[in-house]
Coordinates of all heavy atoms in Angstrom, one line a residue:
M1 N 32.2 15.7 13.1 CA 31.1 15.1 13.8 C 30.7 13.8 13.1 O 30.5 13.7 12.0 CB 29.9 16.0 13.8 CG 30.1 17.3 14.5 SD 28.7 18.4 14.5 CE 28.9 19.1 12.9
E2 N 30.8 12.7 13.9 CA 30.5 11.4 13.4 C 28.9 11.2 13.2 O 28.2 11.7 14.0 CB 30.9 10.3 14.4 CG 31.0 9.0 13.8 CD 31.7 8.0 14.7 OE1 32.7 8.3 15.3 OE2 31.2 6.9 14.8
G3 N 28.6 10.7 12.0 CA 27.2 10.4 11.8 C 26.5 11.6 11.2 O 25.3 11.6 11.2
T4 N 27.2 12.6 10.8 CA 26.6 13.8 10.2 C 27.2 14.0 8.8 O 28.3 13.6 8.5 CB 26.8 15.1 11.0 OG1 28.2 15.3 11.1 CG2 26.3 15.0 12.4
L5 N 26.4 14.6 8.0 CA 26.8 14.9 6.6 C 26.5 16.4 6.3 O 25.5 17.0 6.9 CB 26.0 14.1 5.6 CG 26.1 12.6 5.7 CD1 25.2 11.9 4.7 CD2 27.6 12.2 5.3
T6 N 27.3 17.0 5.4 CA 27.0 18.4 5.0 C 25.7 18.3 4.2 O 25.3 17.2 3.7 CB 28.1 19.0 4.2 OG1 28.3 18.2 3.0 CG2 29.4 19.0 5.0
K7 N 25.2 19.4 3.9 CA 24.0 19.5 3.0 C 24.2 18.8 1.6 O 23.5 18.0 1.2 CB 23.6 20.9 2.8 CG 22.4 21.1 1.8 CD 22.2 22.5 1.5 CE 21.2 22.7 0.3 NZ 20.9 24.1 0.0
K8 N 25.4 19.2 1.0 CA 25.7 18.6 -0.3 C 25.9 17.1 -0.3 O 25.3 16.3 -1.1 CB 27.0 19.3 -0.8 CG 27.4 18.9 -2.2 CD 28.6 19.8 -2.6 CE 28.9 19.5 -4.1 NZ 30.1 20.2 -4.5
E9 N 26.6 16.6 0.8 CA 26.8 15.1 1.0 C 25.5 14.4 1.2 O 25.2 13.4 0.7 CB 27.8 14.9 2.1 CG 29.2 15.3 1.9 CD 30.0 15.3 3.2 OE1 29.4 15.3 4.3 OE2 31.2 15.2 3.1
F10 N 24.7 15.0 2.0 CA 23.3 14.5 2.4 C 22.5 14.4 1.1 O 21.8 13.3 0.9 CB 22.7 15.4 3.4 CG 21.3 14.9 3.9 CD1 21.2 13.8 4.8 CD2 20.2 15.4 3.4 CE1 19.9 13.3 5.2 CE2 18.9 15.0 3.8 CZ 18.8 13.9 4.7
M11 N 22.4 15.5 0.4 CA 21.5 15.4 -0.8 C 22.0 14.3 -1.8 O 21.2 13.6 -2.4 CB 21.6 16.8 -1.5 CG 20.8 17.8 -0.8 SD 20.9 19.5 -1.5 CE 20.4 19.2 -3.2
K12 N 23.3 14.2 -2.0 CA 23.9 13.1 -2.8 C 23.6 11.8 -2.3 O 23.1 10.9 -3.1 CB 25.4 13.4 -3.0 CG 26.0 12.5 -4.0 CD 27.5 12.8 -4.2 CE 28.1 11.8 -5.3 NZ 29.5 12.1 -5.5
S13 N 23.8 11.6 -1.0 CA 23.5 10.2 -0.5 C 22.1 9.8 -0.6 O 21.8 8.6 -0.7 CB 24.0 10.2 1.0 OG 23.1 10.8 1.8
K14 N 21.2 10.7 -0.4 CA 19.7 10.5 -0.5 C 19.1 10.6 -1.9 O 18.0 10.2 -2.2 CB 18.9 11.4 0.4 CG 19.3 11.2 1.9 CD 18.8 9.9 2.5 CE 19.0 9.8 3.9 NZ 18.7 8.5 4.4
G15 N 19.9 11.2 -2.8 CA 19.4 11.4 -4.2 C 18.3 12.4 -4.3 O 17.5 12.4 -5.1
Y16 N 18.4 13.4 -3.4 CA 17.4 14.4 -3.3 C 17.7 15.6 -4.2 O 18.9 16.0 -4.3 CB 17.2 15.0 -1.9 CG 16.6 14.1 -0.9 CD1 16.7 14.5 0.5 CD2 15.9 12.9 -1.2 CE1 16.0 13.7 1.5 CE2 15.3 12.2 -0.2 CZ 15.4 12.6 1.1 OH 14.8 11.8 2.0
S17 N 16.7 16.2 -4.8 CA 16.9 17.4 -5.6 C 16.8 18.5 -4.6 O 16.5 18.3 -3.4 CB 15.7 17.6 -6.6 OG 14.5 17.8 -5.9
E18 N 17.1 19.7 -5.0 CA 17.1 20.9 -4.1 C 15.7 21.1 -3.5 O 15.6 21.3 -2.3 CB 17.6 22.2 -4.8 CG 17.8 23.4 -4.0 CD 19.1 23.3 -3.2 OE1 20.1 22.6 -3.6 OE2 19.2 23.9 -2.1
S19 N 14.7 20.9 -4.3 CA 13.3 21.2 -3.8 C 12.9 20.1 -2.8 O 12.3 20.4 -1.8 CB 12.3 21.4 -5.0 OG 12.3 20.2 -5.7
T20 N 13.2 18.9 -3.1 CA 12.9 17.8 -2.2 C 13.6 18.0 -0.8 O 13.1 17.8 0.2 CB 13.2 16.4 -2.8 OG1 12.5 16.3 -4.0 CG2 12.9 15.3 -1.8
Y21 N 14.9 18.3 -0.9 CA 15.7 18.7 0.3 C 15.0 19.6 1.1 O 14.9 19.5 2.3 CB 17.1 19.0 -0.1 CG 17.9 19.6 1.0 CD1 18.5 18.7 2.0 CD2 18.0 20.9 1.3 CE1 19.2 19.2 3.1 CE2 18.7 21.5 2.4 CZ 19.2 20.6 3.3 OH 19.9 21.1 4.3
H22 N 14.6 20.8 0.6 CA 14.0 21.8 1.4 C 12.7 21.4 1.9 O 12.4 21.8 3.0 CB 13.9 23.1 0.5 CG 15.2 23.8 0.3 ND1 15.8 24.5 1.3 CD2 15.9 23.9 -0.8 CE1 17.0 24.9 0.8 NE2 17.1 24.6 -0.4
R23 N 11.9 20.7 1.2 CA 10.6 20.3 1.7 C 10.8 19.3 2.8 O 10.1 19.5 3.9 CB 9.9 19.5 0.5 CG 8.4 19.3 0.8 CD 7.7 18.7 -0.5 NE 8.3 17.6 -1.1 CZ 8.9 17.6 -2.2 NH1 8.9 18.6 -3.0 NH2 9.4 16.4 -2.7
R24 N 11.7 18.4 2.8 CA 11.9 17.4 3.9 C 12.6 18.1 5.0 O 12.2 17.8 6.2 CB 12.8 16.3 3.4 CG 12.2 15.5 2.2 CD 11.3 14.4 2.7 NE 10.6 13.7 1.7 CZ 11.1 12.6 1.0 NH1 12.2 12.1 1.3 NH2 10.4 12.0 0.1
M25 N 13.5 19.0 4.8 CA 14.1 19.7 5.9 C 13.1 20.6 6.7 O 13.2 20.8 7.9 CB 15.3 20.5 5.5 CG 16.5 19.7 5.1 SD 17.1 18.7 6.4 CE 16.7 17.1 5.8
K26 N 12.2 21.2 6.0 CA 11.2 22.0 6.7 C 10.4 21.1 7.7 O 10.1 21.5 8.8 CB 10.2 22.6 5.7 CG 9.1 23.5 6.2 CD 8.3 24.1 5.2 CE 7.3 25.1 5.8 NZ 6.4 25.6 4.8
L27 N 10.0 19.9 7.3 CA 9.3 18.9 8.2 C 10.3 18.5 9.3 O 9.9 18.4 10.5 CB 8.8 17.8 7.4 CG 7.7 18.0 6.4 CD1 7.5 16.8 5.6 CD2 6.5 18.4 7.1
F28 N 11.5 18.2 8.9 CA 12.5 17.7 9.9 C 12.8 18.7 11.0 O 12.8 18.4 12.1 CB 13.8 17.3 9.1 CG 14.8 16.7 9.9 CD1 14.6 15.6 10.7 CD2 16.1 17.1 9.9 CE1 15.6 15.0 11.5 CE2 17.1 16.5 10.6 CZ 16.9 15.5 11.4
R29 N 13.0 20.0 10.6 CA 13.2 21.1 11.5 C 12.1 21.4 12.4 O 12.3 21.9 13.5 CB 13.6 22.4 10.8 CG 15.0 22.2 10.2 CD 15.4 23.6 9.7 NE 14.4 24.4 9.0 CZ 14.3 24.5 7.7 NH1 15.3 24.0 6.9 NH2 13.4 25.3 7.1
N30 N 10.9 21.0 12.1 CA 9.7 21.3 12.8 C 9.2 20.0 13.6 O 8.1 20.0 14.1 CB 8.6 21.8 12.0 CG 8.9 23.2 11.5 OD1 9.4 24.0 12.3 ND2 8.7 23.5 10.2
S31 N 10.0 19.0 13.7 CA 9.7 17.7 14.4 C 10.4 17.6 15.7 O 11.2 18.5 16.0 CB 10.0 16.5 13.5 OG 11.5 16.4 13.5
K32 N 10.1 16.6 16.4 CA 10.9 16.4 17.7 C 12.3 16.0 17.4 O 13.1 15.9 18.3 CB 10.1 15.3 18.5 CG 10.2 13.9 17.9 CD 9.4 12.9 18.8 CE 9.5 11.5 18.3 NZ 8.7 10.6 19.2
F33 N 12.7 15.7 16.1 CA 14.1 15.3 15.8 C 14.9 16.5 15.3 O 15.9 16.4 14.8 CB 14.0 14.3 14.7 CG 13.3 13.0 15.1 CD1 12.0 12.8 14.7 CD2 13.9 12.1 15.9 CE1 11.3 11.6 15.0 CE2 13.2 11.0 16.3 CZ 11.9 10.7 15.8
R34 N 14.4 17.7 15.6 CA 15.0 18.9 15.1 C 16.4 19.1 15.5 O 17.2 19.8 14.8 CB 14.2 20.2 15.4 CG 14.1 20.6 16.9 CD 13.2 21.8 17.1 NE 12.6 21.7 18.4 CZ 11.4 21.2 18.6 NH1 10.7 20.7 17.7 NH2 10.9 21.2 19.8
E35 N 16.9 18.5 16.6 CA 18.3 18.7 17.0 C 19.2 18.0 16.0 O 20.4 18.2 16.0 CB 18.5 18.1 18.4 CG 18.4 16.6 18.5 CD 17.4 16.1 19.5 OE1 16.6 16.9 19.9 OE2 17.5 14.9 19.8
G36 N 18.7 17.2 15.1 CA 19.4 16.6 14.0 C 19.8 17.5 12.9 O 20.6 17.2 12.0
Y37 N 19.2 18.7 12.9 CA 19.6 19.7 11.9 C 20.5 20.7 12.6 O 20.1 21.5 13.4 CB 18.3 20.4 11.4 CG 18.5 21.4 10.3 CD1 18.5 21.0 9.0 CD2 18.7 22.7 10.6 CE1 18.7 21.9 7.9 CE2 18.9 23.7 9.6 CZ 18.9 23.2 8.3 OH 19.0 24.1 7.2
I38 N 21.8 20.7 12.2 CA 22.8 21.5 12.8 C 23.2 22.6 11.9 O 23.7 22.3 10.8 CB 24.0 20.7 13.2 CG1 23.5 19.5 14.1 CG2 25.0 21.4 14.0 CD1 24.4 18.3 14.2
A39 N 23.0 23.9 12.3 CA 23.3 25.0 11.4 C 24.0 26.1 12.2 O 23.4 27.0 12.6 CB 22.0 25.5 10.8
P40 N 25.3 25.9 12.3 CA 26.1 26.9 13.0 C 26.1 28.3 12.3 O 26.1 29.3 13.0 CB 27.6 26.4 13.1 CG 27.5 25.2 12.2 CD 26.1 24.8 11.8
T41 N 26.0 28.3 11.0 CA 25.8 29.6 10.3 C 24.7 29.2 9.2 O 24.4 28.1 8.9 CB 27.1 30.0 9.6 OG1 27.4 29.1 8.5 CG2 28.2 30.2 10.6
K42 N 24.2 30.3 8.5 CA 23.2 30.1 7.5 C 23.8 29.3 6.2 O 23.1 28.8 5.5 CB 22.6 31.4 7.1 CG 23.4 32.3 6.3 CD 22.6 33.5 5.9 CE 23.5 34.4 5.0 NZ 22.7 35.4 4.3
N43 N 25.1 29.4 6.1 CA 25.8 28.7 5.0 C 26.4 27.4 5.3 O 27.0 26.7 4.4 CB 26.8 29.6 4.4 CG 26.2 30.9 3.7 OD1 25.2 30.8 3.1 ND2 26.9 32.0 3.9
E44 N 26.4 27.0 6.6 CA 27.0 25.8 7.0 C 25.9 24.9 7.7 O 25.5 25.3 8.8 CB 28.1 26.1 8.0 CG 29.0 24.9 8.4 CD 30.0 25.3 9.4 OE1 30.1 26.6 9.8 OE2 30.8 24.5 9.8
V45 N 25.6 23.8 7.1 CA 24.5 22.9 7.6 C 25.0 21.5 7.6 O 25.6 21.0 6.7 CB 23.3 23.0 6.7 CG1 22.1 22.1 7.2 CG2 22.6 24.5 6.7
Y46 N 24.6 20.9 8.8 CA 24.9 19.4 8.9 C 23.7 18.7 9.3 O 22.8 19.3 10.0 CB 26.0 19.2 10.0 CG 27.3 19.9 9.7 CD1 27.5 21.2 10.2 CD2 28.3 19.3 8.9 CE1 28.8 21.8 10.0 CE2 29.5 19.9 8.6 CZ 29.7 21.2 9.2 OH 30.9 21.9 8.9
I47 N 23.5 17.6 8.8 CA 22.3 16.7 9.1 C 22.8 15.4 9.9 O 23.7 14.7 9.3 CB 21.5 16.3 7.9 CG1 20.9 17.6 7.4 CG2 20.4 15.4 8.2 CD1 21.7 18.2 6.2
D48 N 22.3 15.1 11.0 CA 22.6 13.9 11.8 C 21.7 12.8 11.0 O 20.5 12.8 11.2 CB 22.2 14.1 13.2 CG 22.5 12.8 14.0 OD1 22.4 11.7 13.6 OD2 22.9 13.0 15.2
T49 N 22.4 11.9 10.4 CA 21.7 10.9 9.6 C 20.9 9.9 10.4 O 19.9 9.5 9.9 CB 22.7 10.2 8.6 OG1 23.7 9.6 9.5 CG2 23.3 11.1 7.6
E50 N 21.4 9.6 11.6 CA 20.7 8.7 12.5 C 19.3 9.3 12.9 O 18.3 8.6 12.8 CB 21.5 8.3 13.7 CG 22.7 7.5 13.4 CD 23.5 7.1 14.6 OE1 23.0 7.2 15.8 OE2 24.7 6.9 14.5
L51 N 19.3 10.5 13.3 CA 18.0 11.2 13.7 C 17.1 11.4 12.5 O 15.9 11.2 12.5 CB 18.3 12.5 14.3 CG 18.8 12.5 15.7 CD1 19.2 13.8 16.3 CD2 17.9 11.7 16.6
Y52 N 17.7 11.6 11.3 CA 16.9 11.9 10.1 C 16.2 10.5 9.7 O 15.1 10.5 9.4 CB 17.8 12.3 8.9 CG 16.9 12.6 7.7 CD1 16.1 13.7 7.6 CD2 16.8 11.7 6.6 CE1 15.3 14.0 6.6 CE2 16.0 12.0 5.6 CZ 15.3 13.1 5.5 OH 14.4 13.4 4.4
D53 N 16.9 9.4 9.8 CA 16.4 8.1 9.6 C 15.2 7.8 10.6 O 14.2 7.2 10.1 CB 17.5 6.9 9.6 CG 18.4 7.1 8.4 OD1 18.1 7.7 7.4 OD2 19.5 6.5 8.5
Q54 N 15.4 8.1 11.8 CA 14.3 7.9 12.8 C 13.1 8.8 12.4 O 12.0 8.3 12.5 CB 14.8 8.3 14.2 CG 15.8 7.3 14.7 CD 16.3 7.8 16.1 OE1 15.7 8.6 16.7 NE2 17.5 7.2 16.5
F55 N 13.4 10.0 12.0 CA 12.3 10.9 11.5 C 11.5 10.3 10.4 O 10.3 10.3 10.4 CB 12.9 12.2 11.1 CG 12.0 13.1 10.3 CD1 11.0 13.8 10.8 CD2 12.3 13.3 9.0 CE1 10.1 14.5 10.1 CE2 11.5 14.0 8.2 CZ 10.4 14.7 8.7
L56 N 12.2 9.7 9.4 CA 11.5 9.1 8.2 C 10.8 7.9 8.6 O 9.6 7.7 8.1 CB 12.6 8.7 7.2 CG 13.2 9.8 6.4 CD1 14.2 9.1 5.3 CD2 12.2 10.6 5.6
K57 N 11.3 7.1 9.5 CA 10.6 6.0 10.0 C 9.3 6.3 10.7 O 8.2 5.8 10.5 CB 11.4 5.1 11.0 CG 10.8 3.9 11.4 CD 11.8 3.1 12.3 CE 11.1 1.8 12.7 NZ 11.9 1.0 13.6
E58 N 9.3 7.4 11.6 CA 8.2 7.8 12.3 C 7.1 8.4 11.4 O 5.9 8.2 11.5 CB 8.5 8.9 13.4 CG 7.3 9.2 14.2 CD 7.7 10.1 15.4 OE1 8.2 9.5 16.4 OE2 7.4 11.3 15.3
E59 N 7.6 9.2 10.3 CA 6.7 9.8 9.4 C 6.0 8.7 8.6 O 4.8 8.7 8.3 CB 7.4 10.7 8.4 CG 7.9 12.0 9.0 CD 6.7 12.9 9.4 OE1 5.8 13.2 8.6 OE2 6.8 13.2 10.6
S60 N 6.7 7.6 8.2 CA 6.1 6.5 7.5 C 5.1 5.8 8.4 O 4.0 5.5 7.9 CB 7.2 5.5 7.1 OG 6.7 4.4 6.4
E61 N 5.4 5.6 9.7 CA 4.5 4.9 10.5 C 3.2 5.7 10.7 O 2.1 5.2 10.7 CB 5.1 4.7 12.0 CG 6.1 3.6 11.9 CD 6.9 3.6 13.2 OE1 6.7 4.4 14.1 OE2 7.7 2.7 13.3
K62 N 3.3 7.1 10.7 CA 2.1 7.9 10.9 C 1.3 7.8 9.6 O 0.0 7.8 9.7 CB 2.5 9.5 11.0 CG 3.0 9.8 12.3 CD 3.1 11.4 12.2 CE 4.4 11.8 13.0 NZ 4.6 13.2 12.8
R63 N 1.9 7.7 8.5 CA 1.2 7.6 7.2 C 0.4 6.4 7.1 O -0.6 6.4 6.4 CB 2.3 7.7 6.1 CG 1.7 8.0 4.8 CD 2.8 8.4 3.8 NE 2.1 8.5 2.5 CZ 2.4 7.6 1.5 NH1 3.4 6.7 1.7 NH2 1.8 7.7 0.4
F64 N 0.9 5.3 7.6 CA 0.3 4.1 7.5 C -0.6 3.6 8.7 O -1.0 2.4 8.8 CB 1.3 2.9 7.1 CG 1.8 3.1 5.8 CD1 3.1 3.6 5.6 CD2 1.0 2.9 4.6 CE1 3.6 3.7 4.3 CE2 1.5 3.1 3.3 CZ 2.8 3.5 3.2
E65 N -0.8 4.5 9.7 CA -1.7 4.2 10.8 C -3.1 4.1 10.2 O -3.6 4.9 9.4 CB -1.6 5.3 11.8 CG -0.4 5.2 12.6 CD -0.4 6.3 13.8 OE1 -1.4 7.1 13.8 OE2 0.6 6.4 14.4
Y66 N -3.8 3.0 10.6 CA -5.2 2.9 10.2 C -6.1 3.0 11.4 O -5.8 2.5 12.5 CB -5.4 1.5 9.6 CG -4.6 1.3 8.3 CD1 -3.3 0.7 8.2 CD2 -5.1 2.0 7.1 CE1 -2.7 0.6 7.1 CE2 -4.4 1.8 5.9 CZ -3.1 1.2 5.9 OH -2.4 1.1 4.7
Q67 N -7.2 3.6 11.2 CA -8.2 3.7 12.2 C -9.2 2.5 12.2 O -9.7 2.4 11.1 CB -9.0 5.0 12.1 CG -9.9 5.2 13.3 CD -10.7 6.6 13.1 OE1 -10.5 7.2 12.1 NE2 -11.5 6.9 14.1
I68 N -9.3 1.8 13.3 CA -10.2 0.7 13.3 C -11.5 1.2 13.9 O -11.7 1.7 14.9 CB -9.7 -0.4 14.2 CG1 -8.3 -0.9 13.6 CG2 -10.7 -1.6 14.3 CD1 -7.6 -2.0 14.5
I69 N -12.6 1.0 13.1 CA -13.9 1.4 13.4 C -14.7 0.3 13.9 O -14.7 -0.9 13.5 CB -14.6 2.1 12.2 CG1 -13.8 3.2 11.7 CG2 -16.0 2.5 12.6 CD1 -14.3 3.9 10.5

């Protein structure tokens, strides 16, 4: 699958620890980008990097939204 990485490859490319990976994947799997988390079996996981990058961008935008009073 083009544009996807295994869990191990993904963690290495992002520099994530195991705990950071699990924390981010929990958010990713519960977002509108959840189709980017591909798990044919419980031991085989692939992450669509394009969707993950979109997810991060949206999360960042949410974080920096300011309410004008």
Side-chain angles (χ1 to χ4, degrees):
M1 292 179 283
E2 194 172 320
T4 60
L5 298 175
T6 64
K7 174 186 173 183
K8 188 175 183 179
E9 294 168 338
F10 180 78
M11 286 176 59
K12 186 175 181 179
S13 74
K14 297 292 186 184
Y16 287 170
S17 66
E18 190 75 27
S19 61
T20 300
Y21 168 81
H22 285 290
R23 191 172 56 248
R24 298 274 172 90
M25 286 302 112
K26 184 177 180 180
L27 293 172
F28 186 51
R29 287 190 317 253
N30 292 315
S31 73
K32 68 181 183 183
F33 300 101
R34 66 182 151 266
E35 71 238 13
Y37 185 86
I38 306 159
T41 69
K42 70 177 187 171
N43 294 321
E44 186 179 4
V45 174
Y46 300 96
I47 294 96
D48 183 323
T49 55
E50 290 178 24
L51 287 176
Y52 185 76
D53 290 341
Q54 290 176 18
F55 162 74
L56 285 181
K57 185 177 178 184
E58 186 173 282
E59 288 296 304
S60 179
E61 288 171 357
K62 281 188 219 173
R63 194 166 172 245
F64 291 108
E65 284 181 0
Y66 295 101
Q67 182 178 8
I68 299 174
I69 301 177

